[in-house]
Amino acid sequence: MLSFHLSLRSSMRATLVRKPRATEHLGDLRMFIRISAILGLCNGISTREIATMLQVSQESIRLWVRAFLLRGVEGLTPKKSPGRPSKLTKSQRRELAEIIDQGPAAAGFVGNCWRSPMIQQIIYEKFKVAYSVHYLSELLRNMGFSYQKARFVSDHLDEEARQTWLARVWPQILATAQRKTAYLLFGDEASFPQWGTLSYTWARKGKQPTVKTSGKRKGYKVFGLIDYFTGRFFYQCQESRLNSASYVQFLKEVLKKTRKHIILIQDGAKYHTSAATREFFAQNQDRLTVFSLPSYSPDYNPIEKLWKKVKKEGTHLHYFKTFNDLVNKVNEALLVFKNSAKEILTLFGIYNKLSEAA
């Protein structure tokens, strides 16, 4: 087939440029490929190059061009597939699972998270099987995958240090706590803004839900500690900024509430490691033993999950006209968890699994 350049009106070109996004969203891979071929010809790419890039025959491109010239975009619409799509074999599913586990970048995509059309394209290119996006979700669930919200991981993260923490440091901490019959407390802080927090909610299509806000940036701060053994929750609320002095004062109040030795696990926040805080630790070393989590490892601190639950129960999608409205709502949510030791204990999943495996 001889290559040629296809010229189109600007309006038709704009229609074709918009169409692939819509077809990709709907999971129509065949329509996406056909329009991509037509756009390639419009941009001066040879049919041989297009056939190679899209992994189709030049004869198919010729037929698509003919249909497009006769009937426009409608001529590119694929006929309805007769029956169910071909299934992947067990070995093909295993190969696909390995590709997904390695991530999109290893497969030549830009980005670090899979979207359904990307997996759809991989299946078509690798195994010549065309799944719709709607059936693809069922396939992936059957293969042991689920649709999840991604999380950020710092590029400063030291994976070796994290593994050392789980394999060596944590077992030593746990053994020490058991020997001393101590509280094993994970600590952290949270701030709850008066302007509120947002989350997902149901609404009519095309009508984005709105939540009234005071727009005030004032926040309600909370120091917290949760115990690995009992689920006990210590906390202290304040309106002022979090600093070394308020952190030390919080720890003093906790020490007053128990005669037990306390093993404290904290992150590397500045007021956790300041000279004043270190001096307090030294003065109370007979009552207090301190360990630091690996840097950039909030997922290793179970109390982070507690703050998310408090926000979900107390501040998500709420309007706080006054600061006192916020304070009352947060205090109410904190009190619920203070009286729910079983709920707190469910937050230690990663450490419970380590204990079970030991």
Side-chain angles (χ1 to χ4, degrees):
M1 176 182 173
L2 296 176
S3 294
F4 61 92
H5 180 71
L6 189 62
S7 297
L8 297 175
R9 298 191 307 272
S10 58
S11 58
M12 177 57 74
R13 181 185 283 267
T15 299
L16 287 172
V17 169
R18 289 194 301 269
K19 195 72 174 177
R21 298 184 188 131
T23 57
E24 182 183 24
H25 174 70
L26 293 172
D28 196 340
L29 185 61
R30 292 178 297 166
M31 186 69 166
F32 179 83
I33 290 173
R34 294 177 185 193
I35 292 177
S36 297
I38 300 298
L39 287 172
L41 293 173
C42 293
N43 292 327
I45 303 175
S46 70
T47 54
R48 183 182 298 276
E49 291 177 291
I50 294 172
T52 300
M53 288 188 293
L54 298 178
Q55 295 191 343
V56 297
S57 68
Q58 294 188 60
E59 176 62 15
S60 293
I61 297 175
R62 184 188 71 79
L63 293 174
W64 297 340
V65 170
R66 181 174 180 275
F68 175 69
L69 293 176
L70 289 174
R71 299 174 53 207
V73 177
E74 289 300 318
L76 299 176
T77 304
K79 293 181 180 179
K80 187 174 181 180
S81 177
R84 294 174 64 86
S86 301
K87 293 182 178 180
L88 295 177
T89 65
K90 290 183 178 180
S91 61
Q92 288 174 332
R93 288 191 179 200
R94 285 195 296 269
E95 187 176 352
L96 175 62
E98 291 175 2
I99 292 172
I100 296 174
D101 287 338
Q102 291 170 5
F109 292 100
V110 176
N112 295 304
C113 293
W114 288 105
R115 292 181 296 109
S116 295
M118 295 159 65
I119 298 177
Q120 181 190 44
Q121 182 178 336
I122 286 290
I123 294 174
Y124 183 79
E125 292 178 351
K126 193 78 176 175
F127 310 111
K128 302 304 179 188
V129 175
Y131 281 125
S132 74
V133 166
H134 305 294
Y135 181 77
L136 186 61
S137 60
E138 181 180 340
L139 170 69
L140 293 174
R141 282 195 295 270
N142 290 337
M143 291 172 58
F145 293 92
S146 63
Y147 194 67
Q148 306 175 37
K149 184 178 180 180
R151 63 180 176 85
F152 285 115
V153 176
S154 172
D155 57 3
H156 292 81
L157 183 145
D158 186 340
E159 192 57 43
E160 184 176 348
R162 282 164 55 86
Q163 292 304 316
T164 299
W165 163 266
L166 291 179
R168 299 180 184 176
V169 179
W170 167 250
Q172 293 173 4
I173 294 173
L174 182 58
T176 301
Q178 291 171 330
R179 187 177 68 253
K180 290 178 174 288
T181 317
Y183 276 126
L184 180 46
L185 302 177
F186 284 83
D188 191 41
E189 305 78 37
S191 180
F192 301 87
Q194 186 180 341
W195 63 83
T197 53
L198 300 175
S199 67
Y200 291 96
T201 184
W202 289 103
R204 287 281 187 182
K205 290 182 178 180
K207 292 186 177 182
Q208 185 177 20
T210 59
V211 179
K212 190 185 295 186
T213 177
S214 64
K216 295 180 181 179
R217 300 186 63 83
K218 189 174 182 181
Y220 192 43
K221 287 83 172 177
V222 183
F223 285 109
L225 295 167
I226 55 175
D227 179 47
Y228 173 77
F229 296 115
T230 66
R232 187 171 180 180
F233 178 27
F234 300 90
Y235 65 90
Q236 173 181 294
C237 305
Q238 61 187 60
E239 297 181 23
S240 57
R241 294 179 60 183
L242 303 172
N243 54 33
S244 300
S246 55
Y247 185 49
V248 167
Q249 182 58 41
F250 167 55
L251 294 177
K252 285 181 179 178
E253 293 300 318
V254 173
L255 287 171
K256 290 179 183 179
K257 293 177 181 178
T258 179
R259 294 182 179 180
K260 282 188 176 184
H261 188 86
I262 290 176
I263 293 181
L264 170 62
I265 299 176
Q266 60 179 13
D267 61 24
K270 289 184 178 179
Y271 42 82
H272 291 173
T273 58
S274 66
T277 303
R278 291 200 306 271
E279 181 180 354
F280 170 76
F281 290 156
Q283 293 171 351
N284 292 274
Q285 57 185 335
D286 60 323
R287 299 275 326 274
L288 189 61
T289 303
V290 183
F291 292 90
S292 294
L293 288 163
S295 299
Y296 303 100
S297 299
D299 54 320
Y300 282 7
N301 196 345
I303 198 172
E304 293 277 3
K305 299 177 185 178
L306 175 60
W307 300 141
K308 290 181 180 179
K309 286 179 174 287
V310 172
K311 288 182 179 180
K312 179 181 178 181
E313 298 297 328
T315 64
H316 279 348
L317 306 176
H318 281 276
Y319 166 53
F320 302 108
K321 185 176 182 179
T322 68
F323 186 72
N324 281 337
D325 292 335
L326 169 68
V327 168
N328 293 335
K329 192 66 176 177
V330 173
N331 285 343
E332 179 183 312
L334 291 171
L335 187 59
V336 168
F337 287 104
K338 182 178 177 62
N339 295 322
S340 303
K342 289 184 179 179
E343 183 81 12
I344 299 293
L345 290 172
T346 64
L347 306 177
F348 295 94
I350 184 173
Y351 297 106
N352 290 335
K353 289 180 181 178
L354 288 172
S355 297
E356 292 170 2

